Amino acid sequence: MQLAALRHRSESEDCFVLDRNRVRVRFHTAKDDVEKIIVHYVDNYMPTTDTESVEMEKIGSGEVSDHWVATLEVPYHRIKYTFEVIGKDGDHKIVGDRGIYDFSKENLEADGSYFRVPYFHLIDMDKTPEWVKHTVWYQIFPERFANGDKSNDPANTKPWNPEDHPGREDFYGGDLQGVLDHLDYLKKLGVNGLYFCPVFKASSNHKYDTVDYLEIDPAFGDKDLFAKVVNEAHKRGMKVMLDAVFNHIGKNSMQWQDVVESGSKSRYADWFHINSYPVEPYRNPSKGEGEPPYETFAFEPAMPKLNTANPEVQDYLLEIATYWVKYFDIDAWRLDVANEVDHHFWKRFHKALVALKPDFYIVGEIWHSARPWLNGDEFSGVMNYPFTLQVEDHFFGHKMSAKALVEHLNDQLMLYRDATNQAMLNTLDSHDTARILTVANDNQDLALQAMAFIFTQTGSPCIYYGDEMDMKGGNDPDCRKPMDWSKEDGPVWQRVHSLIKFRLDHSEVLGKGTTLLSVTENGLIKVVRKQKETIIAYFNTTNSDVEIDLAPSLSQDYQDGKLAKDGFAIVVK
């Protein structure tokens, strides 16, 4: 048995409280190396001779590890536990808080080697909003969704043409009135969460260079109109998530312009990370221009980075964050470039928001492993790029086999607590990436197969506007074309609608049930989700038809016992 591969961390993603009397524990071993694991557990103040035991369940295999889980129940809201591990080679060990020991009655009863959860404090639990687990999101890029009011169009607004290839500086006139006019459309499509790219006053078409966080951009409308959009969305059972950039601010903001004009004497000088004065002209080190006079997002001079360790900056941003909740009743924030902001600020942010709305949803944009932000006191979840990009690598890029995909996804699920995985935002494309139909080389069956796969996974799925309309687009800014309204109710629209309906009809199990991923002998990816009901989904990513006898509730390219390439079949039991 590979002893170096045996691992567990208490009070982490390997050990987390479920409620007053239950804790879930995970254990990891080398792949195909261990026959059985038994958890021995008892109240902290009871003798180890009185332990109860439960055999762990192997829930998946990763690249190099097998993953095991058990749920332990105790009466007095505290626990100590240790692991008995039996290798396939017959090796027999005790794995405890102080190391690995040969199995014996004496070692099993050695109190000092037991892991402990001193008390099940519910206030310390990683609690994520219940409603998120029953939500399908729809991401709206406001400037390109619909032009409902031509009177507020910016100068040189281009004609609405879904076939255009937008430039970075182009405007098409999309606005909040356009969203309001199409809320019934979104209700018909079936989504129940609206995720807006920034709507605040800014210079660009994308609005990530904020000028004033407390004002709606005039090209989109005003606060009264935004309030009406939120209220009407809520009437239709839809939650509203706004996008905010608290890492940096726009160069045309009042605060930055004061620094430009007054230099070190500006009252806002400490709001930014200034290296030298004057701050203009900007020197870009990636272009060999020397050291930059101030810190920015990437090396973008139009986006000076805020000093979020400054209490004044913190108070200013928290005023903004709470303002849109207090007065407009938004339900969630998506936070741009969240990983470049300090943890101290995000802890204050979380505390302020959940004080207003205990079930408020906070999503960080983080493209890598995000465990430091996901311990219950900062974000509910993140944009789940490490998960979804691997899905794309298999389904679209063919960079990894089905077996490798399943292994990677199993490992990914082990990074976070169950409640965190359930609150992840799962999206295959967005304003930052090429559209899935383009990445799928215009193969609509393949694009919808990958979407269906995401819809069967743990986490809250998100559709990018226009994916239901058969829209194409390369990387930013080509993925931001004006919405093609001509394909409403078309064949692709109907298939996406069916996926959304299925997800929401079965949101209890798909949102919160256990997840088991595997590959069948004939090469199909198999997804099993269990709770009160069981859902089994098969995805054919091979190059030929596969015979399988099913009576699917939802399928694509399945007929007469054969699941075709790019097809899927989902069975409900």
Side-chain angles (χ1 to χ4, degrees):
M1 185 161 57
Q2 298 183 42
L3 302 187
L6 305 179
R7 58 186 173 89
H8 169 82
R9 290 196 309 141
S10 60
E11 296 206 64
S12 72
E13 66 280 355
D14 286 342
C15 172
F16 47 91
V17 172
L18 297 177
D19 54 41
R20 289 277 289 167
N21 296 97
R22 294 185 306 148
V23 65
R24 184 155 293 155
V25 293
R26 296 172 178 164
F27 196 89
H28 312 279
T29 66
K31 204 174 204 175
D32 299 321
D33 190 44
V34 167
E35 186 69 35
K36 182 188 294 188
I37 302 176
I38 300 168
V39 190
H40 300 269
Y41 63 99
V42 70
D43 180 84
N44 284 347
Y45 295 96
M46 296 286 190
T48 55
T49 53
D50 293 349
T51 58
E52 298 198 38
S53 61
V54 62
E55 186 172 333
M56 301 190 81
E57 176 189 2
K58 190 167 99 171
I59 56 167
S61 295
E63 282 191 274
V64 298
S65 300
D66 285 339
H67 306 299
W68 308 72
V69 67
T71 301
L72 312 180
E73 187 167 350
V74 290
Y76 306 119
H77 327 306
R78 59 201 178 207
I79 196 173
K80 59 187 175 186
Y81 60 96
T82 194
F83 299 94
E84 177 185 354
V85 184
I86 303 169
K88 290 188 174 180
D89 60 1
D91 207 358
H92 199 168
K93 299 293 183 182
I94 295 293
V95 181
D97 189 46
R98 297 182 184 176
I100 303 172
Y101 304 90
D102 290 332
F103 180 81
S104 68
K105 184 174 185 293
E106 180 183 2
N107 286 337
L108 179 60
E109 294 175 357
D111 186 89
S113 74
Y114 275 61
F115 296 99
R116 281 168 165 77
V117 180
Y119 197 81
F120 294 4
H121 289 289
L122 299 188
I123 196 171
D124 290 335
M125 280 179 57
D126 179 17
K127 295 182 285 288
T128 53
E130 176 68 19
W131 60 265
V132 174
K133 299 148 197 177
H134 306 273
T135 301
V136 173
W137 294 95
Y138 188 92
Q139 184 187 1
I140 295 174
F141 193 84
E143 221 282 319
R144 307 291 158 78
F145 183 66
N147 188 346
D149 181 1
K150 294 186 179 298
S151 70
N152 60 15
D153 287 1
N156 302 314
T157 292
K158 299 182 71 174
W160 197 269
N161 181 4
E163 300 301 319
D164 262 4
H165 296 280
R168 294 202 174 276
E169 310 301 325
D170 290 342
F171 288 86
Y172 289 86
D175 50 34
L176 290 174
Q177 186 62 49
V179 176
L180 184 65
D181 293 344
H182 289 90
L183 286 179
D184 286 338
Y185 162 82
L186 294 167
K187 178 70 174 177
K188 181 177 72 169
L189 181 62
V191 296
N192 58 352
L194 305 182
Y195 155 28
F196 287 88
C197 287
V199 296
F200 308 124
K201 187 175 181 180
S203 306
S204 64
N205 53 38
H206 55 72
K207 311 302 178 192
Y208 283 97
D209 53 341
T210 313
V211 171
D212 189 342
Y213 295 94
L214 294 173
E215 292 295 335
I216 297 294
D217 193 275
F220 289 166
D222 57 23
K223 289 179 182 177
D224 287 342
L225 178 57
F226 177 70
K228 191 171 184 181
V229 169
V230 175
N231 291 337
E232 290 298 319
H234 284 168
K235 286 179 184 177
R236 291 163 175 80
M238 299 175 187
K239 301 290 187 178
V240 175
M241 177 160 64
L242 288 187
D243 198 333
V245 191
F246 293 153
N247 173 68
H248 53 269
I249 199 168
K251 68 175 182 179
N252 293 325
S253 63
M254 172 269 292
Q255 295 91 337
W256 181 247
Q257 284 303 308
D258 194 71
V259 173
V260 171
E261 294 169 12
S262 303
S264 60
K265 295 180 180 179
S266 168
R267 60 162 293 197
Y268 298 108
D270 290 337
W271 280 44
F272 302 93
H273 298 270
I274 310 295
N275 300 323
S276 61
Y277 294 97
V279 293
E280 291 185 345
Y282 179 79
R283 296 181 294 277
N284 188 334
S286 70
K287 297 179 179 178
E289 297 171 355
E291 292 302 306
Y294 57 94
E295 304 295 318
T296 64
F297 166 66
F299 295 111
E300 176 48 66
M303 298 179 179
K305 181 176 175 64
L306 288 163
N307 176 16
T308 50
N310 182 333
E312 282 189 18
V313 175
Q314 290 189 5
D315 290 344
Y316 169 69
L317 296 178
L318 291 176
E319 178 188 359
I320 294 160
T322 55
Y323 174 81
W324 294 98
V325 182
K326 288 177 184 176
Y327 300 109
F328 297 87
D329 198 26
I330 67 166
D331 306 288
W333 279 111
R334 182 266 186 186
L335 303 165
D336 195 60
V337 203
N339 58 337
E340 296 186 25
V341 176
D342 60 271
H343 291 284
H344 180 273
F345 173 71
W346 287 135
K347 290 178 194 295
R348 284 195 67 192
F349 182 91
H350 178 274
K351 186 175 181 180
L353 271 298
V354 298
L356 290 175
K357 266 191 178 183
D359 64 347
F360 197 82
Y361 183 42
I362 304 172
V363 182
E365 183 203 17
I366 297 178
W367 289 65
H368 51 84
S369 177
R371 277 183 287 189
W373 292 268
L374 294 173
N375 292 306
D377 58 352
E378 295 187 47
F379 304 155
S380 314
V382 296
M383 298 190 76
N384 206 6
Y385 288 114
F387 192 93
T388 56
L389 289 175
Q390 291 178 112
V391 173
E392 293 190 18
D393 279 349
H394 172 68
F395 281 81
F396 302 148
H398 310 296
K399 297 176 183 177
M400 62 171 67
S401 66
K403 178 175 176 289
L405 173 68
V406 165
E407 291 171 346
H408 280 76
L409 297 187
N410 280 332
D411 285 340
Q412 191 69 35
L413 287 169
M414 292 299 104
L415 291 179
Y416 310 116
R417 298 164 178 86
D418 290 349
T420 303
N421 282 324
Q422 293 163 6
M424 290 293 196
L425 188 70
N426 292 341
T427 181
L428 285 172
D429 54 357
S430 72
H431 65 290
D432 283 327
T433 67
R435 288 186 175 273
I436 54 172
L437 183 56
T438 295
V439 179
N441 292 317
D442 298 342
N443 181 342
Q444 189 59 260
D445 279 359
L446 178 57
L448 290 174
Q449 183 193 46
M451 185 184 290
F453 184 78
I454 287 294
F455 270 58
T456 64
Q457 299 304 301
T458 305
S460 194
C462 180
I463 296 167
Y464 186 43
Y465 83 95
D467 282 349
E468 77 278 21
M469 301 293 204
D470 204 26
M471 287 182 66
K472 305 173 188 176
N475 287 319
D476 162 29
D478 199 50
C479 56
R480 304 172 180 180
K481 294 177 180 179
M483 177 72 152
D484 186 351
W485 288 103
S486 68
K487 296 176 182 175
E488 181 178 348
D489 296 325
V492 174
W493 190 98
Q494 294 291 349
R495 291 158 77 184
V496 173
H497 167 70
S498 295
L499 277 176
I500 296 168
K501 185 177 187 305
F502 184 86
R503 171 76 188 204
L504 294 180
D505 285 348
H506 301 280
S507 64
E508 192 67 23
V509 62
L510 293 174
K512 299 191 295 182
T514 59
T515 304
L516 184 62
L517 305 172
S518 62
V519 180
T520 66
E521 289 184 359
N522 50 12
L524 301 179
I525 299 175
K526 182 180 180 181
V527 181
V528 180
R529 305 296 311 279
K530 285 186 179 181
Q531 207 199 39
K532 292 178 181 177
E533 62 181 354
T534 298
I535 292 178
I536 305 174
Y538 297 91
F539 298 85
N540 186 357
T541 58
T542 72
N543 289 316
S544 57
D545 293 354
V546 173
E547 291 189 7
I548 184 168
D549 186 14
L550 300 170
S553 299
L554 185 67
S555 65
Q556 173 178 285
D557 300 332
Y558 176 75
Q559 191 172 6
D560 299 328
K562 289 184 179 180
L563 186 60
K565 177 180 179 291
D566 304 330
F568 65 84
I570 306 175
V571 177
V572 179
K573 293 184 177 180

